[in-house]
Amino acid sequence: MLAGALAAASVALVALIASVAIVVNTPRQEAPTGGADVSAFYDSGLYARPNPAEIDLVDHPLYDVAMPEPIDCPLPALRTGSDDSWEAFANEAGVCLNELWAPVMDELGLVPDLPEITVTDEPLDTDTEDSFTLAYYESDRGLITVVLPNVRQVGEQIPDAHQEDVWLALMGHEYAHHVQYATGILSVSHDLRRTAGSEDDELETLRRTELQAECMAGVGLRGLTDPGGDALDVVNLHFNGGGDLDTHGTAANRALWLEAGYSSATVGGCNTYGADENEVT
């Protein structure tokens, strides 16, 4: 029944890292702003709760912040056949990613909660032969869910030595949606997608959001793996080696943004909203 999906996975294992609460993009020429209320995330030490901020997706203060320095946060060994092992790995990855991104949030005066992370043995009704969801983020619940049946199907094509780097990238991508939410980016981009004038505009918007999350997955790889290792090449091989997606971009652009997150000096390296159209196809 899933032969089509497995065939696609064997060619590229394309990064079908979908989010339930995904969003939109913005035209590069005009930087839209919105009134997303991120004040709930501000440090309680501030004298007063600030008014809702105007969020500019192209010129956001997030982009001026230095990339977080790598941290020492060992992850538990992942036994992919065990639900308990998967849950422990996913949750510890969330803790490590939260610690990694904390200096960036501190620089912006934000203190978002650690998202809840869970795993499920139930496949999603929306899965098709062409694509299926490995994990998703729900901003209204602060929840990341890993869909184990789909992860295990894809994992059958991945060598054991590569599994932990690949699935850390998956967690980094979903945690990136949490970063987008905490900074107001996700809410504004969702509004822009909802009001898009055409399906093409909506898809371009979605790709900008997803490619930014892919870039931030690169930040996670740089911050949590051996700097002399091959994690970047491993993830690009299995997720971004081929297979273009209307929702997540071409394989070449997914690799481009993952590498940008891994190598850039500031978070501005992940500014997909200000990127040229050919970089977000």
Side-chain angles (χ1 to χ4, degrees):
M1 181 173 64
L2 290 173
L6 288 175
S10 65
V11 173
L13 292 185
V14 287
L16 306 178
I17 306 171
S19 167
V20 162
I22 341 195
V23 276
V24 301
N25 89 304
T26 173
R28 188 168 185 268
Q29 295 80 1
E30 297 182 9
T33 60
D37 185 1
V38 297
S39 60
F41 298 115
Y42 277 81
D43 192 325
S44 59
L46 292 174
Y47 177 73
R49 183 183 177 93
N51 293 324
E54 291 294 317
I55 305 300
D56 187 327
L57 298 184
V58 174
D59 191 22
H60 195 291
L62 170 67
Y63 304 140
D64 295 327
V65 180
M67 285 291 191
E69 292 295 326
I71 61 172
D72 183 16
C73 190
L75 296 172
L78 175 60
R79 291 176 288 109
T80 55
S82 165
D83 289 11
D84 289 343
S85 179
W86 242 113
E87 188 155 26
F89 178 86
N91 274 277
E92 191 59 31
V95 170
C96 291
L97 288 162
N98 207 58
E99 181 181 343
L100 177 70
W101 280 98
V104 176
M105 297 295 102
D106 288 346
E107 183 72 17
L108 297 172
L110 300 172
V111 282
D113 292 333
L114 174 69
E116 182 183 353
I117 297 173
T118 189
V119 300
T120 180
D121 274 322
E122 297 296 324
L124 299 184
D125 292 338
T126 55
D127 292 344
T128 69
E129 289 186 355
D130 298 319
S131 67
F132 54 104
T133 301
L134 300 177
Y136 56 92
Y137 172 68
E138 296 173 273
S139 60
D140 58 339
R141 301 176 65 188
L143 178 65
I144 294 171
T145 302
V146 180
V147 185
L148 291 182
N150 294 353
V151 162
R152 285 177 175 140
Q153 278 192 287
V154 171
E156 291 174 1
Q157 310 295 322
I158 301 174
D160 289 345
H162 294 174
Q163 294 271 352
E164 291 177 10
D165 286 342
V166 168
W167 301 126
L168 174 60
L170 173 69
M171 298 307 301
H173 181 110
E174 296 308 325
Y175 187 91
H177 288 312
H178 186 63
V179 172
Q180 290 172 323
Y181 176 62
T183 54
I185 290 172
L186 196 61
S187 297
V188 174
S189 59
H190 177 73
D191 288 342
L192 289 173
R193 184 182 170 206
R194 179 175 52 81
T195 58
S198 68
E199 183 180 0
D200 286 346
D201 288 345
E202 182 180 358
L203 282 171
E204 183 187 339
T205 287
L206 179 55
R207 287 194 300 271
R208 289 184 189 269
T209 302
E210 291 298 335
L211 287 168
Q212 183 173 79
E214 190 70 0
C215 183
M216 291 178 176
V219 177
L221 285 178
R222 179 176 75 170
L224 298 177
T225 63
D226 179 2
D230 60 355
L232 179 65
D233 291 337
V234 162
V235 175
N236 270 330
L237 171 66
H238 294 297
F239 272 165
N240 302 327
D244 299 340
L245 298 167
D246 288 341
T247 56
H248 287 64
T250 64
N253 279 337
R254 294 196 306 271
L256 170 75
W257 288 106
L258 187 75
E259 291 165 11
Y262 195 89
S263 61
S264 297
T266 69
V267 185
C270 292
N271 184 3
T272 55
Y273 296 101
D276 291 335
E277 184 177 349
N278 67 322
E279 293 179 325
V280 293
T281 55

